[in-house]
Amino acid sequence: MEYLWWKHGVIYQIYPRSFQDSNGDGIGDLQGVIDRLDYLNDGTERSLGVDAIWFSPTFPSPMADFGYDVSDYEEVHDDFGDMATMDRLIAEAHKRGIRVILDFVPNHSSSQHPWFVESRASKESPKRDWYVWRDAKPDGSPPNNWIAAFGGPAWEWDQRTQQYYLHSFLIEQPDLNWRNPEVEARMHEVLRFWMDRGVDGFRIDVMDRVLKDPQHRDNPPQENPRIRALAQAAMQMHTYDQNWPEVIEAVRGIRRVTDAYPERMTVGEVAGTPEQIAHYYGGAALDGLHLAFNFPFTRIWDDRWIAERVRRSVDAFEAALPAGAWPNHVFGNHDVDRFSSRVNRDGRGHERARVAALMLLTLRGTPFVYYGEEIGMANTDIPEKMLQDPARFYSRGRDQERTPMQWSREDAFTTGTPWLPYGNLAVNVEQQRDDPASMLSLYRRLLWFRRRSDALRDGAYTPVDGLPTGIYAYMRLYGDDRLLTVLNFTNDPIAFELPASLHTTETLIGTHDLPAAAQSITLAGNEGRLLRLA
Ligand code: GLC
């Protein structure tokens, strides 16, 4: 088995509009990222120590969905810089041993992409079939009942050519037709275009929707009232427009393209049960995605932060993966509330975020860290009139987790007016950098320890049974390198004896002070520790 950078490494997600602005327009940009690379990894333990950065889309876009509506797949958005800056960013990142992952959005383009403009011009257009066009039903209504992910019908009527086009997301995001071989070939060219420039991999947006039922059958209603209540799109099961069995063939096609280059990786956004997600790795041949996002931690809210429940979800993913497939874990991204805010009903979300960090960085598999998690950024309350995200499919949209990176108490993100308001600037990098008790210090310790630990990078994952309710404990074992993580998910102290077979010799890293290793352990509420085993 080969251990490549994307297995060993920690991947850090940058939301480019919000990381660092270099030109005072209030919007983060690529030069800003270059200026902050040393923060991410300068080769010393002063820096965070990540191995790769994934950018949410950096391509030209009318920004209807903040870049997930791409109008040119092979350019850089003016807001972010130009191709020369991107090339420099790739080179500067590589100099520091940081890999660069771009966001590939294959399911849909912008409605302003020249391909769609041409496609919608006439029914005879050579690009007509590059998108999904269908006649109305005899009564004029859309071809089927599919609901777009952001609400409303997934079909938009085109007056000029008298047909509907499919958009699984916004009206401004028409779905590309991957059944047309020209589309697939052209999208493969996009991948080569970026790999030729040195890009190391792709996060693939909604991979699970790229092919749908060719008969476009109606989706059945969702009967579960709890799920129905989540969003308009959750009123139906996405039987025919998501996780359609043929999608795996499109995945394999992408994999063949990336396999022609050394050490490139893909991580796909897919939804479903552990089995459905594991399927995207390609089965025994492992010829699918290198990684398929494992999202259960992003769906943890107060009531679900339960040791037994979290363990079950880790175990279920491990069990579902085909032999040799590599797990991954994600607590946050640009689509979900910040973790510490999701588990903050009693005001102790920050403590839980420390436990989560210890877990994320000691579990088996590639950890994804969303910018700002490492300093414990929380959701930012944004006044209604300043909200920007068009997708209000739940609550107030996604702006609250996309606010500017909090570098210091002053507004170091920009010299101008930030595109979204700052969160609580008292939580910032500068203040945490030299504080050994800070979240940033905890992250740095874990990241640098992980880098040198065979057990954390490659070791087996073995959960420990028989400990008190509220404790999740697991071993990571690789030859003589034997580690134990113990996590208290409750607010109360819990004391327990380790089984005689587990002899601890050293407390390595913890959310609290580090007591000497012993057979009996007392964890404070929301305390976690990493220990060495004999
Ligand atoms: C994915 C992205 C999300 C975007 C959507 C449509 O879910 O993560 O931000 O809005 O796809 O592209």
Side-chain angles (χ1 to χ4, degrees):
M1 158 114 77
E2 273 186 290
Y3 288 105
L4 301 172
W5 63 269
W6 54 268
K7 292 183 172 174
H8 272 166
V10 174
I11 300 179
Y12 185 87
Q13 180 188 354
I14 290 180
Y15 198 67
R17 294 180 75 81
S18 293
F19 198 60
Q20 179 64 55
D21 177 22
S22 73
N23 62 0
D25 65 359
I27 299 172
D29 49 44
L30 299 182
Q31 181 57 50
V33 176
I34 295 174
D35 297 341
R36 293 292 187 182
L37 283 173
D38 281 339
Y39 164 78
L40 295 174
N41 197 339
D42 70 359
T44 77
E45 297 188 27
R46 290 273 303 160
S47 64
L48 185 56
V50 298
D51 302 86
I53 42 184
W54 145 37
F55 292 99
S56 287
T58 40
F59 316 102
S61 160
M63 296 283 172
D65 187 18
F66 288 100
Y68 286 96
D69 48 324
V70 178
S71 54
D72 183 349
Y73 286 95
E74 295 168 345
E75 252 302 344
V76 173
H77 196 294
D78 290 342
D79 282 352
F80 300 137
D82 56 17
M83 208 46 126
T85 321
M86 178 62 97
D87 287 342
R88 210 148 27 79
L89 168 55
I90 295 169
E92 287 295 324
H94 285 173
K95 244 190 242 171
R96 293 164 176 81
I98 303 173
R99 311 282 176 147
V100 176
I101 299 170
L102 296 188
D103 210 316
F104 180 55
V105 189
N107 181 67
H108 44 266
S109 72
S110 160
S111 54
Q112 290 182 35
H113 195 295
W115 301 338
F116 187 70
V117 173
E118 197 180 331
S119 180
R120 104 185 284 179
S122 99
K123 276 185 171 162
E124 282 68 48
S125 155
K127 291 227 164 46
R128 184 66 169 180
D129 186 49
W130 278 43
Y131 292 83
V132 184
W133 292 96
R134 288 291 180 281
D135 291 333
K137 282 188 178 163
D139 67 356
S141 63
N144 67 22
N145 74 347
W146 295 355
I147 303 174
F150 296 156
W155 298 92
E156 179 70 5
W157 180 245
D158 183 61
Q159 194 55 36
R160 178 143 48 129
T161 58
Q162 296 284 300
Q163 276 191 316
Y164 281 97
Y165 69 83
L166 178 66
H167 61 90
S168 297
F169 291 84
L170 297 174
I171 291 168
E172 296 89 342
Q173 293 169 300
D175 283 33
L176 282 155
N177 176 18
W178 274 69
R179 291 189 185 276
N180 181 329
E182 284 174 25
V183 169
E184 185 169 26
R186 185 65 188 86
M187 294 304 272
H188 287 175
E189 251 178 63
V190 169
L191 297 171
R192 290 191 200 97
F193 174 88
W194 289 109
M195 289 190 289
D196 287 339
R197 297 195 94 91
V199 163
D200 300 284
F202 302 95
R203 178 264 185 188
I204 307 182
D205 192 61
V206 289
M207 188 67 227
D208 55 2
R209 286 181 180 261
V210 161
L211 287 168
K212 291 97 182 165
D213 172 26
Q215 296 178 49
H216 288 175
R217 277 167 284 190
D218 277 353
N219 279 328
Q222 171 60 258
E223 307 289 358
N224 182 332
R226 205 178 42 79
I227 298 179
R228 283 178 69 88
L230 290 177
Q232 201 197 348
M235 307 271 286
Q236 58 186 213
M237 309 222 286
H238 290 271
T239 313
Y240 294 111
D241 62 350
Q242 195 169 21
N243 289 323
W244 183 252
E246 288 167 290
V247 176
I248 192 67
E249 294 314 320
V251 169
R252 291 198 168 104
I254 289 173
R255 177 65 183 257
R256 284 192 292 272
V257 174
T258 57
D259 274 354
Y261 293 73
E263 282 204 55
R264 300 306 204 270
M265 70 86 78
T266 53
V267 52
E269 184 195 24
V270 297
T273 61
E275 290 69 28
Q276 282 173 311
I277 291 164
H279 179 64
Y280 283 95
Y281 283 81
L286 292 184
D287 58 356
L289 297 169
H290 298 82
L291 301 173
F293 276 128
N294 178 28
F295 280 142
F297 296 165
T298 67
R299 291 189 290 266
I300 291 177
W301 294 77
D302 288 284
D303 298 341
R304 297 186 179 182
W305 184 244
I306 296 170
E308 294 69 28
R309 190 179 172 123
V310 169
R311 170 181 169 178
R312 268 203 304 281
S313 120
V314 174
D315 292 0
F317 193 59
E318 285 271 353
L321 287 178
W326 194 249
N328 69 88
H329 301 283
V330 189
F331 269 99
N333 62 33
H334 62 294
D335 291 329
V336 291
D337 288 22
R338 295 269 180 188
F339 177 71
S340 63
S341 300
R342 279 187 273 131
V343 290
N344 198 39
R345 192 186 289 157
D346 60 3
R348 298 178 74 166
H350 181 68
E351 293 172 45
R352 294 187 182 100
R354 291 175 69 88
V355 176
L358 204 133
M359 178 168 83
L360 174 71
L361 294 164
T362 61
L363 278 173
R364 190 177 88 97
T366 306
F368 285 83
V369 175
Y370 184 50
Y371 82 98
E373 266 172 38
E374 76 277 23
I375 53 170
M377 273 174 68
N379 278 0
T380 300
D381 247 328
I382 298 176
E384 185 80 36
K385 61 175 195 326
M386 296 179 82
L387 290 176
Q388 311 241 8
D389 181 21
R392 311 277 171 80
F393 52 95
Y394 45 62
S395 67
R396 296 158 67 82
R398 301 166 292 181
D399 296 310
Q400 54 199 355
E401 65 263 16
R402 297 176 175 180
T403 55
M405 178 66 179
Q406 294 161 198
W407 295 107
S408 72
R409 193 172 277 283
E410 294 75 49
D411 46 2
F413 163 72
T414 181
T415 54
T417 309
W419 75 287
L420 282 176
Y422 291 109
N424 174 12
L425 285 177
V427 174
N428 69 62
V429 171
E430 196 174 277
Q431 175 264 320
Q432 294 192 17
R433 198 165 232 157
D434 298 312
D435 173 3
S438 70
M439 186 71 133
L440 182 57
S441 295
L442 177 62
Y443 263 88
R444 277 187 307 203
R445 272 199 295 278
L446 285 163
L447 273 144
W448 286 96
F449 184 86
R450 184 184 168 92
R451 176 182 300 280
R452 299 189 192 104
S453 163
D454 290 336
L456 287 190
R457 293 186 317 184
D458 306 331
Y461 156 83
T462 310
V464 179
D465 294 320
L467 297 180
T469 306
I471 300 289
Y472 175 27
Y474 49 88
M475 294 182 276
R476 299 296 316 281
L477 308 172
Y478 187 97
D480 288 344
D481 193 11
R482 295 162 46 81
L483 303 175
L484 172 72
T485 296
V486 288
L487 308 165
N488 181 357
F489 277 60
T490 75
N491 280 339
D492 302 316
I494 300 182
F496 56 94
E497 286 289 310
L498 285 177
S501 58
L502 302 185
H503 185 67
T504 62
T505 58
E506 193 186 352
T507 310
L508 296 164
I509 300 179
T511 54
H512 294 50
D513 293 337
L514 301 185
Q519 227 35 35
S520 28
I521 294 186
T522 302
L523 291 180
N526 304 309
E527 178 173 8
R529 272 179 221 162
L530 177 66
L531 300 141
R532 188 175 298 289
L533 290 171

